Amino acid sequence: MSIRHHIGDDTLMAYVNGTLVEPLSVVVATHLAICPRCRKSAALMEDLAGLLLMEAETAPLSPAEEAMADIIPSSASPDAGNDDQPLIKPDYSNTGVPMPLAERMPATLDDIPWRTLIPGISHYPLPKSGSQKNKGTLRLLKIAPGKTMPEHSHTGQELTLILRGSYIDDLGRFQTGDIADLDSETLHQPVADTAEDCICLIATDAPLKFSGFFSRLLQPVFGI
Ligand SMILES: [Zn+2]
């Protein structure tokens, strides 16, 4: 698996700090299970957060610590990560997906009881847990080969992890293991590649905004 699209630094920092809503955290944890580069970035952020916490109680930041803080934003640049680390084999249990997601799955990826949204596009809402049950959405989405998703933007953040297959949009091609970390500024319209179904795990912290014809059709379904 060659992962090209990673978690944004702001998102990863929020995950480390425990401030991401739960559905977004599930997507981040699932990507971390298969991505050595993002695990390394998360570990660095955890170390730095611990260091800053200790220093905050004793003294202001030293120049060396400020220099360390400057390192963090660059960790998502193409050259900053070390992708040579061996991939730790994630625990897939019996569902064909990494463990942080597997425990939410009702069945294997091949046996999901999909619900059709429009021809060629179906979804399956996943259960949320914890004290934030009303915050955000977590769902599986299946796009048939060659099918175009209705163009949409977001009122908040949307994280999409590709579990099987691939799609293309304005940001490039997203393949198995890649994560799309989109904010409210992004308007996009993914098109599934033609080889197989594209199955994604998608979390939002606010409803999606569909534009054009599909808006009236899909908003009641997605706009929880
Ligand atoms: Zn990554």
Side-chain angles (χ1 to χ4, degrees):
M1 187 187 303
S2 175
I3 299 175
R4 295 190 176 161
H5 298 275
H6 298 271
I7 303 164
D9 281 328
D10 289 347
T11 303
L12 198 53
M13 186 62 99
Y15 174 80
V16 167
N17 289 335
T19 56
L20 270 191
V21 299
E22 197 253 350
L24 295 176
S25 293
V26 172
V27 181
V28 170
T30 305
H31 179 80
L32 288 177
I34 55 175
C35 182
R37 172 172 153 173
C38 285
R39 276 201 303 273
K40 187 179 176 189
S41 296
L44 181 68
M45 289 178 184
E46 283 171 5
D47 289 348
L48 188 74
L51 186 66
L52 293 179
L53 200 62
M54 283 197 311
E55 290 297 322
E57 293 169 358
T58 54
L61 283 183
S62 71
E65 285 150 5
E66 286 182 348
M68 272 191 70
D70 287 338
I71 292 171
I72 287 186
S74 67
S75 63
S77 66
D79 299 324
N82 178 5
D83 291 326
D84 296 333
Q85 291 185 20
L87 187 65
I88 297 173
K89 197 165 171 34
D91 180 359
Y92 281 84
S93 68
N94 294 318
T95 60
V97 298
M99 198 52 205
L101 172 60
E103 58 189 18
R104 311 294 178 103
M105 297 281 282
T108 68
L109 272 187
D110 293 317
D111 296 319
I112 297 292
W114 296 105
R115 303 172 191 176
T116 301
L117 292 170
I118 55 176
I121 298 179
S122 51
H123 79 147
Y124 184 84
L126 292 171
K128 292 179 283 180
S129 65
S131 59
Q132 299 185 327
K133 282 194 172 177
N134 296 325
K135 291 191 178 170
T137 64
L138 183 66
R139 71 185 69 245
L140 297 167
L141 190 74
K142 184 170 74 167
I143 314 171
K147 187 76 185 175
T148 303
M149 266 288 285
E151 185 176 62
H152 63 279
S153 60
H154 320 99
T155 51
Q157 188 173 9
E158 180 191 77
L159 284 180
T160 301
L161 176 66
I162 315 302
L163 300 173
R164 181 182 290 175
S166 56
Y167 74 72
I168 300 175
D169 67 7
D170 290 347
L171 302 174
R173 168 173 275 127
F174 289 76
Q175 299 171 295
T176 304
D178 282 336
I179 195 164
D181 188 348
L182 305 179
D183 60 21
S184 57
E185 305 297 313
T186 310
L187 182 71
H188 75 147
Q189 189 170 29
V191 181
D193 279 330
T194 53
E196 59 180 330
D197 286 336
C198 179
I199 299 179
C200 310
L201 172 66
I202 302 181
T204 61
D205 64 357
L208 303 185
K209 286 189 298 190
F210 287 93
S211 46
F213 168 75
F214 287 106
S215 62
R216 289 188 303 278
L217 203 59
L218 291 183
Q219 204 70 61
V221 181
F222 276 97
I224 296 169

